[in-house]
Amino acid sequence: MEVSLTQPSRSKRSPELGLRTASLIYAFFMIAIPILVILQDGFREGWAGFWHQINLPIAKHAIFLTLWTSALMTVINAVLGLATAFVFVRYDFPGKRFCNAIVDLPLAIPTLVTGVMLVTLYGPQQTLGNFLESQFGFRVIFSSPGIILALLFIGYPYVVRTIQPVLQELDRTQEDAAATLGASSWTTFWKVIFPALALPTLSGAMLSFAKAIGEFGSVVIVAGNIPLHTQTAAVYVLGAVESENRLGASAVSVLLMAIAFTVMLAGNAFQKRRESKP
């Protein structure tokens, strides 16, 4: 009897152990090793060399441009992504399924295509782009507004899709009770609905920000590669590689990776905090 009880336990453990081992080995070679290599390369001249590379005027401007455009995009997408998710969940309208599917389009198409679409729409030789520049002096392409537009397009789905399932699962009993007590729709949203959506909104916004700081394809099309003007950090890395400044490319890459990793950890912490709430 003892053999018959222990044998199945071992046979069950065997596939699980093999699956865990294979998964960890794959993650180690595909993720951990490249990260360790770039860390080693970025710090091969020590902290002083790393600090010098990220504080070069061109690199510092590129990093600052990346951070402030990504931050502004994150705020806009957080507000509009929340509104979009609310509309999709709470309202029915013609073409709802089509509009809901379009939200995922930025995740599917190459980011270079995003850049081409924006240049075709807002380019200085195009009707809309020429109108905005001639009438209002507002230049979109090869300027920071073009970068923000590209990041808005890329990061939008992350916010909507993070909020949407949470909103679908909300119990509407409290909303009905608030309406019964005479609360307006606006008051009900802020006092009842939004507190449950605050953490998912923040989590989705952080994912959007983490994606934005490393965005390359769409940005290089709409912003160009103009140092000290429209060159973002990701585009600077490409320029550093092409000019054989591998240390500079690695140093800025390490910084971007550290920022993205920190933001994603914070987003995961907010997500776990939401899930742990009763």
Side-chain angles (χ1 to χ4, degrees), residues 23 43 56 94 106 117 141 151 157 164 193 203-204 206 214 218 225 240 244-245 252-253 262 265 278:
S23 300
F43 286 98
L56 292 173
M117 290 191 300
I141 302 303
L151 297 181
Q164 207 168 352
I193 301 174
S203 179
M206 286 182 168
S218 60
N225 189 5
E244 298 184 357
N245 179 17
V252 174
S253 298
T262 302
L265 281 179

PDB file of all heavy atoms in Angstrom, residues 23 43 56 94 106 117 141 151 157 164 193 203-204 206 214 218 225 240 244-245 252-253 262 265 278:
ATOM      1  N   SER A  23      10.653  25.946 -18.478  1.00  0.00           N
ATOM      2  CA  SER A  23      10.204  27.343 -18.509  1.00  0.00           C
ATOM      3  C   SER A  23      11.266  28.282 -17.962  1.00  0.00           C
ATOM      4  O   SER A  23      11.539  29.343 -18.531  1.00  0.00           O
ATOM      5  CB  SER A  23       8.897  27.492 -17.711  1.00  0.00           C
ATOM      6  OG  SER A  23       7.889  26.680 -18.247  1.00  0.00           O
ATOM      7  N   PHE A  43      27.981  49.249 -17.847  1.00  0.00           N
ATOM      8  CA  PHE A  43      28.803  49.628 -16.687  1.00  0.00           C
ATOM      9  C   PHE A  43      30.244  49.134 -16.819  1.00  0.00           C
ATOM     10  O   PHE A  43      30.935  49.029 -15.805  1.00  0.00           O
ATOM     11  CB  PHE A  43      28.188  49.064 -15.403  1.00  0.00           C
ATOM     12  CG  PHE A  43      26.958  49.792 -14.949  1.00  0.00           C
ATOM     13  CD1 PHE A  43      25.695  49.300 -15.236  1.00  0.00           C
ATOM     14  CD2 PHE A  43      27.068  50.979 -14.241  1.00  0.00           C
ATOM     15  CE1 PHE A  43      24.559  49.962 -14.824  1.00  0.00           C
ATOM     16  CE2 PHE A  43      25.942  51.653 -13.808  1.00  0.00           C
ATOM     17  CZ  PHE A  43      24.678  51.151 -14.100  1.00  0.00           C
ATOM     18  N   LEU A  56      25.720  63.323 -21.324  1.00  0.00           N
ATOM     19  CA  LEU A  56      26.101  64.071 -22.519  1.00  0.00           C
ATOM     20  C   LEU A  56      24.915  64.914 -22.968  1.00  0.00           C
ATOM     21  O   LEU A  56      23.763  64.473 -22.882  1.00  0.00           O
ATOM     22  CB  LEU A  56      26.526  63.117 -23.633  1.00  0.00           C
ATOM     23  CG  LEU A  56      27.825  62.333 -23.404  1.00  0.00           C
ATOM     24  CD1 LEU A  56      28.012  61.304 -24.523  1.00  0.00           C
ATOM     25  CD2 LEU A  56      29.018  63.281 -23.349  1.00  0.00           C
ATOM     26  N   PRO A  94     -24.709  51.827 -32.414  1.00  0.00           N
ATOM     27  CA  PRO A  94     -24.381  51.188 -33.692  1.00  0.00           C
ATOM     28  C   PRO A  94     -22.874  51.170 -33.938  1.00  0.00           C
ATOM     29  O   PRO A  94     -22.189  52.180 -33.723  1.00  0.00           O
ATOM     30  CB  PRO A  94     -25.102  52.065 -34.726  1.00  0.00           C
ATOM     31  CG  PRO A  94     -26.179  52.747 -33.959  1.00  0.00           C
ATOM     32  CD  PRO A  94     -25.636  52.954 -32.576  1.00  0.00           C
ATOM     33  N   PRO A 106      -3.714  49.130 -32.728  1.00  0.00           N
ATOM     34  CA  PRO A 106      -2.316  49.532 -32.495  1.00  0.00           C
ATOM     35  C   PRO A 106      -1.421  48.403 -31.992  1.00  0.00           C
ATOM     36  O   PRO A 106      -0.197  48.465 -32.153  1.00  0.00           O
ATOM     37  CB  PRO A 106      -2.438  50.640 -31.437  1.00  0.00           C
ATOM     38  CG  PRO A 106      -3.800  51.196 -31.647  1.00  0.00           C
ATOM     39  CD  PRO A 106      -4.645  50.016 -32.023  1.00  0.00           C
ATOM     40  N   MET A 117       1.186  56.503 -41.188  1.00  0.00           N
ATOM     41  CA  MET A 117      -0.189  57.004 -41.158  1.00  0.00           C
ATOM     42  C   MET A 117      -0.236  58.441 -40.644  1.00  0.00           C
ATOM     43  O   MET A 117      -0.940  59.287 -41.200  1.00  0.00           O
ATOM     44  CB  MET A 117      -1.062  56.102 -40.290  1.00  0.00           C
ATOM     45  CG  MET A 117      -1.342  54.738 -40.886  1.00  0.00           C
ATOM     46  SD  MET A 117      -2.625  53.818 -39.986  1.00  0.00           S
ATOM     47  CE  MET A 117      -1.886  53.697 -38.352  1.00  0.00           C
ATOM     48  N   ILE A 141       4.336  67.159 -37.401  1.00  0.00           N
ATOM     49  CA  ILE A 141       5.393  66.251 -37.816  1.00  0.00           C
ATOM     50  C   ILE A 141       6.756  66.923 -37.671  1.00  0.00           C
ATOM     51  O   ILE A 141       6.904  68.110 -37.919  1.00  0.00           O
ATOM     52  CB  ILE A 141       5.165  65.781 -39.266  1.00  0.00           C
ATOM     53  CG1 ILE A 141       3.799  65.098 -39.378  1.00  0.00           C
ATOM     54  CG2 ILE A 141       6.253  64.828 -39.710  1.00  0.00           C
ATOM     55  CD1 ILE A 141       3.590  63.922 -38.463  1.00  0.00           C
ATOM     56  N   LEU A 151       2.715  58.261 -29.587  1.00  0.00           N
ATOM     57  CA  LEU A 151       2.664  57.531 -28.318  1.00  0.00           C
ATOM     58  C   LEU A 151       1.226  57.323 -27.849  1.00  0.00           C
ATOM     59  O   LEU A 151       0.904  56.285 -27.266  1.00  0.00           O
ATOM     60  CB  LEU A 151       3.469  58.284 -27.255  1.00  0.00           C
ATOM     61  CG  LEU A 151       4.970  58.442 -27.525  1.00  0.00           C
ATOM     62  CD1 LEU A 151       5.641  59.194 -26.384  1.00  0.00           C
ATOM     63  CD2 LEU A 151       5.637  57.093 -27.742  1.00  0.00           C
ATOM     64  N   PRO A 157      -4.494  51.251 -26.220  1.00  0.00           N
ATOM     65  CA  PRO A 157      -5.131  49.969 -25.871  1.00  0.00           C
ATOM     66  C   PRO A 157      -4.773  49.457 -24.476  1.00  0.00           C
ATOM     67  O   PRO A 157      -5.586  48.766 -23.842  1.00  0.00           O
ATOM     68  CB  PRO A 157      -4.611  49.001 -26.946  1.00  0.00           C
ATOM     69  CG  PRO A 157      -4.131  49.864 -28.060  1.00  0.00           C
ATOM     70  CD  PRO A 157      -3.649  51.115 -27.416  1.00  0.00           C
ATOM     71  N   GLN A 164     -11.364  47.835 -18.764  1.00  0.00           N
ATOM     72  CA  GLN A 164     -12.610  47.256 -19.262  1.00  0.00           C
ATOM     73  C   GLN A 164     -13.080  46.024 -18.485  1.00  0.00           C
ATOM     74  O   GLN A 164     -14.240  45.977 -18.050  1.00  0.00           O
ATOM     75  CB  GLN A 164     -12.456  46.928 -20.744  1.00  0.00           C
ATOM     76  CG  GLN A 164     -13.752  46.949 -21.507  1.00  0.00           C
ATOM     77  CD  GLN A 164     -13.536  46.914 -23.015  1.00  0.00           C
ATOM     78  OE1 GLN A 164     -12.416  47.019 -23.507  1.00  0.00           O
ATOM     79  NE2 GLN A 164     -14.616  46.766 -23.744  1.00  0.00           N
ATOM     80  N   ILE A 193     -18.205  54.609  -8.657  1.00  0.00           N
ATOM     81  CA  ILE A 193     -17.550  53.856  -9.731  1.00  0.00           C
ATOM     82  C   ILE A 193     -16.046  54.105  -9.764  1.00  0.00           C
ATOM     83  O   ILE A 193     -15.250  53.152  -9.801  1.00  0.00           O
ATOM     84  CB  ILE A 193     -18.182  54.220 -11.096  1.00  0.00           C
ATOM     85  CG1 ILE A 193     -19.672  53.912 -11.092  1.00  0.00           C
ATOM     86  CG2 ILE A 193     -17.480  53.462 -12.224  1.00  0.00           C
ATOM     87  CD1 ILE A 193     -20.398  54.370 -12.334  1.00  0.00           C
ATOM     88  N   SER A 203      -2.726  51.373 -13.180  1.00  0.00           N
ATOM     89  CA  SER A 203      -1.945  50.241 -13.679  1.00  0.00           C
ATOM     90  C   SER A 203      -1.835  50.277 -15.199  1.00  0.00           C
ATOM     91  O   SER A 203      -0.754  50.097 -15.765  1.00  0.00           O
ATOM     92  CB  SER A 203      -2.585  48.934 -13.225  1.00  0.00           C
ATOM     93  OG  SER A 203      -1.867  47.820 -13.705  1.00  0.00           O
ATOM     94  N   GLY A 204      -2.957  50.510 -15.877  1.00  0.00           N
ATOM     95  CA  GLY A 204      -2.929  50.596 -17.333  1.00  0.00           C
ATOM     96  C   GLY A 204      -2.105  51.771 -17.820  1.00  0.00           C
ATOM     97  O   GLY A 204      -1.388  51.667 -18.822  1.00  0.00           O
ATOM     98  N   MET A 206       0.464  53.072 -16.338  1.00  0.00           N
ATOM     99  CA  MET A 206       1.877  52.743 -16.147  1.00  0.00           C
ATOM    100  C   MET A 206       2.383  51.802 -17.237  1.00  0.00           C
ATOM    101  O   MET A 206       3.520  51.941 -17.707  1.00  0.00           O
ATOM    102  CB  MET A 206       2.089  52.122 -14.764  1.00  0.00           C
ATOM    103  CG  MET A 206       2.006  53.118 -13.641  1.00  0.00           C
ATOM    104  SD  MET A 206       2.327  52.380 -12.028  1.00  0.00           S
ATOM    105  CE  MET A 206       2.504  53.856 -11.018  1.00  0.00           C
ATOM    106  N   GLY A 214      10.191  53.273 -24.627  1.00  0.00           N
ATOM    107  CA  GLY A 214      11.043  52.486 -25.516  1.00  0.00           C
ATOM    108  C   GLY A 214      10.560  52.479 -26.957  1.00  0.00           C
ATOM    109  O   GLY A 214      11.136  51.770 -27.785  1.00  0.00           O
ATOM    110  N   SER A 218       7.383  54.168 -34.668  1.00  0.00           N
ATOM    111  CA  SER A 218       6.519  55.285 -35.042  1.00  0.00           C
ATOM    112  C   SER A 218       7.202  56.625 -34.800  1.00  0.00           C
ATOM    113  O   SER A 218       7.052  57.568 -35.583  1.00  0.00           O
ATOM    114  CB  SER A 218       5.206  55.222 -34.243  1.00  0.00           C
ATOM    115  OG  SER A 218       5.459  55.290 -32.850  1.00  0.00           O
ATOM    116  N   ASN A 225      15.207  62.330 -36.816  1.00  0.00           N
ATOM    117  CA  ASN A 225      16.363  62.046 -35.962  1.00  0.00           C
ATOM    118  C   ASN A 225      17.191  63.312 -35.856  1.00  0.00           C
ATOM    119  O   ASN A 225      18.320  63.376 -36.302  1.00  0.00           O
ATOM    120  CB  ASN A 225      17.179  60.894 -36.563  1.00  0.00           C
ATOM    121  CG  ASN A 225      18.268  60.407 -35.625  1.00  0.00           C
ATOM    122  OD1 ASN A 225      18.371  60.865 -34.489  1.00  0.00           O
ATOM    123  ND2 ASN A 225      19.103  59.506 -36.101  1.00  0.00           N
ATOM    124  N   ALA A 240      23.749  56.101 -31.639  1.00  0.00           N
ATOM    125  CA  ALA A 240      24.990  55.751 -30.946  1.00  0.00           C
ATOM    126  C   ALA A 240      25.581  54.460 -31.495  1.00  0.00           C
ATOM    127  O   ALA A 240      26.806  54.332 -31.647  1.00  0.00           O
ATOM    128  CB  ALA A 240      24.724  55.625 -29.447  1.00  0.00           C
ATOM    129  N   GLU A 244      29.206  53.943 -33.654  1.00  0.00           N
ATOM    130  CA  GLU A 244      30.119  53.056 -32.948  1.00  0.00           C
ATOM    131  C   GLU A 244      30.395  53.493 -31.512  1.00  0.00           C
ATOM    132  O   GLU A 244      31.451  53.214 -30.956  1.00  0.00           O
ATOM    133  CB  GLU A 244      31.437  52.914 -33.723  1.00  0.00           C
ATOM    134  CG  GLU A 244      31.243  52.295 -35.104  1.00  0.00           C
ATOM    135  CD  GLU A 244      32.560  52.064 -35.827  1.00  0.00           C
ATOM    136  OE1 GLU A 244      33.608  52.434 -35.273  1.00  0.00           O
ATOM    137  OE2 GLU A 244      32.531  51.487 -36.930  1.00  0.00           O
ATOM    138  N   ASN A 245      29.423  54.186 -30.918  1.00  0.00           N
ATOM    139  CA  ASN A 245      29.498  54.531 -29.504  1.00  0.00           C
ATOM    140  C   ASN A 245      28.684  53.494 -28.722  1.00  0.00           C
ATOM    141  O   ASN A 245      27.591  53.775 -28.233  1.00  0.00           O
ATOM    142  CB  ASN A 245      28.962  55.945 -29.267  1.00  0.00           C
ATOM    143  CG  ASN A 245      28.995  56.352 -27.791  1.00  0.00           C
ATOM    144  OD1 ASN A 245      29.693  55.723 -26.978  1.00  0.00           O
ATOM    145  ND2 ASN A 245      28.246  57.378 -27.441  1.00  0.00           N
ATOM    146  N   VAL A 252      22.400  54.293 -22.144  1.00  0.00           N
ATOM    147  CA  VAL A 252      21.034  54.815 -22.274  1.00  0.00           C
ATOM    148  C   VAL A 252      20.030  53.663 -22.285  1.00  0.00           C
ATOM    149  O   VAL A 252      18.940  53.778 -21.716  1.00  0.00           O
ATOM    150  CB  VAL A 252      20.912  55.686 -23.542  1.00  0.00           C
ATOM    151  CG1 VAL A 252      19.465  56.106 -23.770  1.00  0.00           C
ATOM    152  CG2 VAL A 252      21.801  56.912 -23.440  1.00  0.00           C
ATOM    153  N   SER A 253      20.395  52.542 -22.888  1.00  0.00           N
ATOM    154  CA  SER A 253      19.518  51.375 -22.886  1.00  0.00           C
ATOM    155  C   SER A 253      19.283  50.866 -21.469  1.00  0.00           C
ATOM    156  O   SER A 253      18.151  50.505 -21.108  1.00  0.00           O
ATOM    157  CB  SER A 253      20.118  50.258 -23.742  1.00  0.00           C
ATOM    158  OG  SER A 253      20.245  50.647 -25.088  1.00  0.00           O
ATOM    159  N   THR A 262      10.987  49.560 -13.333  1.00  0.00           N
ATOM    160  CA  THR A 262      10.449  50.154 -12.106  1.00  0.00           C
ATOM    161  C   THR A 262       8.975  50.478 -12.255  1.00  0.00           C
ATOM    162  O   THR A 262       8.162  50.211 -11.355  1.00  0.00           O
ATOM    163  CB  THR A 262      11.235  51.433 -11.759  1.00  0.00           C
ATOM    164  OG1 THR A 262      12.624  51.121 -11.609  1.00  0.00           O
ATOM    165  CG2 THR A 262      10.718  52.044 -10.466  1.00  0.00           C
ATOM    166  N   LEU A 265       6.942  47.257 -12.248  1.00  0.00           N
ATOM    167  CA  LEU A 265       6.834  46.711 -10.890  1.00  0.00           C
ATOM    168  C   LEU A 265       5.780  47.465 -10.089  1.00  0.00           C
ATOM    169  O   LEU A 265       4.983  46.866  -9.359  1.00  0.00           O
ATOM    170  CB  LEU A 265       8.186  46.800 -10.178  1.00  0.00           C
ATOM    171  CG  LEU A 265       9.238  45.744 -10.516  1.00  0.00           C
ATOM    172  CD1 LEU A 265      10.505  46.011  -9.724  1.00  0.00           C
ATOM    173  CD2 LEU A 265       8.716  44.343 -10.228  1.00  0.00           C
ATOM    174  N   PRO A 278     -11.191  43.122  -0.774  1.00  0.00           N
ATOM    175  CA  PRO A 278     -12.397  42.291  -0.745  1.00  0.00           C
ATOM    176  C   PRO A 278     -13.461  42.837  -1.698  1.00  0.00           C
ATOM    177  O   PRO A 278     -13.485  44.003  -1.993  1.00  0.00           O
ATOM    178  CB  PRO A 278     -12.858  42.389   0.712  1.00  0.00           C
ATOM    179  CG  PRO A 278     -12.268  43.660   1.233  1.00  0.00           C
ATOM    180  CD  PRO A 278     -10.968  43.833   0.497  1.00  0.00           C
TER     181      PRO A 278
END
